[in-house]
Amino acid sequence: MHDPRALLDLGADAVRRLARRGYTLDLSTLEDLVSRRSTTIQRANELRAESKRVAQEVQVTARRGGDVDGLKERARQIKDEIRGAESEQDRIDAGLRPLLLEVPNLPLDTVPDGDSEEFAVEVRRHGDTPAFSFEPKDHVDLGESLGIFDFARATKLSGPRFAAARGAGARLERGLAAFFLDLHTTRHDYTECSVPYLVTRETMTGTGQLPKFEEDLFKTGTGTRDLYLIPTAEVPLTNLHATEILDADTLPLAYTAHTPCFRSEAGSYGKDTRGLIRVHQFAKVEMVRICHPDQSRAELEKMVGHAETCLTELGLPYRVVTLAAGDLSFSAQVTYDIEVWLPGQGRYREVSSCSDCGTFQARRAGIRMRDKHGRRGLVATLNGSGLPIGRTLAAILENNQREDGSVVMPEALVPYLGFRVARPDGSVGT
């Protein structure tokens, strides 16, 4: 959420920057609400000061034996006027807060123009895409022929856009999660966390999923208590410090967690209906960093490097792109996507988004810092996938397939699996 005065100070520049991501800022409405709110607050403060003066006059006049009836009547009038001013402020806030909650983060000017993945700008590539002497299969055909995926029974259980793994497939999922967590905690200095998968409306609002994207979430509850299934561990990890004041000397903080993620995929009808690319439930290892705002860009580069290490250790070819302004997530001011090569599709597909949110989420969630001089300010928050289990598994299968239908596992993953090769007959080998 933005500071409304900061938006007004930026004025036309805020309008311009938000327009780059397809959002029209109604500056006149915002200015009217802020002005009315300031006037109402000032009026309420003046009335409180007058109330204090009148109360003192009542005491002085009473001690002198004077008539205090008129003063008491004025005191009652002032109290009514204060209540009226407070009610007016509540009405203005009821219009201002929803407006501000709907305004996305301001994209940096360094972010390219455009409104889709087609406008992303490539930063670098790593690794050679494999050359096959045969027509490569996609991960669905490979997984089913290996006997490690069962999409039909998953659909029977839960409907479309769900997946089930078994045998070597389930072991692959478990091994990948452990591999990523070990990498981040032992080499990248993240603290592993175990967090709730159900969170409150306030928690979802803190990181920007609510109120705008409620249709993208799964919601549950009992009685008067509504809870939301997390779409990513970014939500609970970032909000661990909601409403807190952190010691600036302890920053940056780095957290990682392996959780299921739940997404309704609203608006994606007909897209990626096959396989593991776009499902309602998937597992992911997430990275979150909390730092001083002046360090957020350097922290973003560091986080991207951590996600890239996951792929280089697995020997998977990938590229890094900068997303266009109109393709940024609601809370991000700049995002790098890391896209892994999928031979079955003949294209790069996003496997990690690493975003610098600046102070945007911190303002919404109330995460502040205090330096050694007692000065307070907002922190910056960053998040990134490090990595999703399903999409990474798909990339491993497709890039390491052999003509006989077997798949050779990346060497770094073998200690976590206990096998090197998965075969079409359902067996595994070392």
Side-chain angles (χ1 to χ4, degrees):
M1 187 166 65
H2 295 279
D3 178 347
R5 293 195 176 278
L7 288 177
L8 291 175
D9 288 344
L10 287 170
D13 190 50
V15 174
R16 175 189 64 82
R17 290 169 66 182
L18 288 167
R20 294 181 67 218
R21 60 180 306 158
Y23 183 87
T24 302
L25 177 63
D26 188 343
L27 209 59
S28 60
T29 297
L30 178 62
E31 188 171 17
D32 176 64
L33 288 168
V34 171
S35 176
R36 285 168 50 203
R37 187 177 188 275
S38 296
T39 300
T40 303
I41 290 173
Q42 181 179 351
R43 175 59 178 158
N45 288 337
E46 291 171 350
L47 287 167
R48 292 186 188 99
E50 183 181 357
S51 177
K52 186 176 180 180
R53 288 195 301 271
V54 170
Q56 290 171 344
E57 286 184 46
V58 169
Q59 292 176 357
V60 171
T61 303
R63 282 198 298 268
R64 292 174 178 174
D67 184 3
V68 297
D69 289 344
L71 290 171
K72 287 184 176 181
E73 178 58 29
R74 177 54 187 154
R76 284 191 291 270
Q77 290 175 355
I78 293 172
K79 287 182 180 179
D80 288 340
E81 291 178 31
I82 290 173
R83 282 193 290 269
E86 290 173 342
S87 295
E88 177 62 15
Q89 183 183 335
D90 288 342
R91 285 192 292 271
I92 295 170
D93 285 343
L96 181 59
R97 179 173 168 78
L99 187 155
L100 291 172
L101 285 174
E102 293 281 347
V103 181
N105 203 352
L106 298 172
L108 298 182
D109 284 335
T110 54
V111 171
D113 289 327
D115 60 0
S116 71
E117 61 183 23
E118 296 175 5
F119 296 92
V121 174
E122 185 172 307
V123 178
R124 58 182 170 271
R125 294 191 182 197
H126 183 276
D128 297 322
T129 58
F132 297 100
S133 61
F134 56 94
E135 185 68 26
K137 297 178 180 178
D138 69 9
H139 66 280
V140 178
D141 290 338
L142 281 167
E144 290 183 334
S145 66
L146 292 169
I148 63 174
F149 295 157
D150 194 334
F151 294 101
R153 288 190 173 92
T155 300
K156 178 177 68 175
L157 292 173
S158 306
R161 293 190 186 273
F162 284 91
R166 63 188 177 197
R171 201 187 310 180
L172 259 168
E173 290 185 346
R174 176 161 48 90
L176 275 170
F179 171 68
F180 292 149
L181 288 171
D182 283 351
L183 199 56
H184 294 318
T185 55
T186 62
R187 285 174 53 178
H188 300 153
D189 294 326
Y190 287 79
T191 298
E192 183 180 354
C193 300
S194 177
V195 292
Y197 307 154
L198 291 163
V199 297
T200 64
R201 170 172 285 273
E202 290 76 20
T203 300
M204 284 289 190
T205 302
T207 39
Q209 281 74 24
L210 289 177
K212 190 173 179 61
F213 302 103
E214 186 149 6
E215 67 173 4
D216 295 324
L217 304 171
F218 286 106
K219 180 179 177 181
T220 185
T222 56
T224 59
R225 187 185 184 196
D226 289 329
L227 294 171
Y228 294 84
L229 289 161
I230 59 170
T232 164
E234 166 204 344
V235 176
L237 287 176
T238 303
N239 279 282
L240 284 173
H241 294 291
T243 71
E244 294 182 15
I245 300 175
L246 305 174
D247 185 343
D249 290 339
T250 66
L251 302 178
L253 302 176
Y255 297 129
T256 187
H258 170 229
T259 69
C261 305
F262 305 91
R263 301 183 183 180
S264 72
E265 295 297 343
S268 65
Y269 180 79
K271 296 180 181 178
D272 295 312
T273 56
R274 181 176 169 84
L276 301 173
I277 302 302
R278 197 182 300 272
V279 288
H280 290 311
Q281 176 187 322
F282 61 97
K284 180 157 67 90
V285 173
E286 184 74 358
M287 304 176 291
V288 162
R289 300 185 74 85
I290 299 173
C291 67
H292 190 287
D294 292 346
Q295 298 299 316
S296 68
R297 292 308 306 277
E299 290 293 311
L300 178 61
E301 296 296 333
K302 186 181 296 184
M303 178 179 283
V304 172
H306 296 159
E308 288 184 77
T309 298
C310 294
L311 293 172
T312 57
E313 288 289 313
L314 294 173
L316 295 172
Y318 66 87
R319 70 172 189 163
V320 180
V321 301
T322 304
L323 292 191
D327 201 28
L328 293 174
S329 66
F330 181 80
S331 296
Q333 62 180 5
V334 58
T335 296
Y336 289 114
D337 265 11
I338 303 173
E339 300 178 343
V340 69
W341 177 254
L342 291 182
Q345 295 188 10
R347 58 181 291 202
Y348 288 98
R349 295 303 303 266
E350 181 258 314
V351 73
S352 176
S353 283
C354 295
S355 298
D356 174 6
C357 299
T359 59
F360 183 81
Q361 291 180 327
R363 182 177 296 280
R364 295 171 74 102
I367 311 172
R368 299 181 178 273
M369 62 179 180
R370 179 169 47 219
D371 66 17
K372 61 183 178 182
H373 303 293
R375 293 187 294 258
R376 296 184 182 186
L378 294 167
V379 301
T381 63
L382 304 95
N383 62 80
S385 303
L387 296 169
I389 305 305
R391 290 192 179 197
T392 307
L393 198 161
I396 288 172
L397 295 180
E398 293 191 17
N399 281 279
N400 294 288
Q401 59 183 296
R402 298 294 181 261
E403 190 168 8
D404 64 0
S406 64
V407 175
V408 178
M409 298 297 129
E411 194 61 33
L413 204 56
V414 172
Y416 294 87
L417 302 177
F419 64 89
R420 279 185 170 81
V421 181
R423 303 187 182 95
D425 61 4
S427 67
V428 295
T430 56

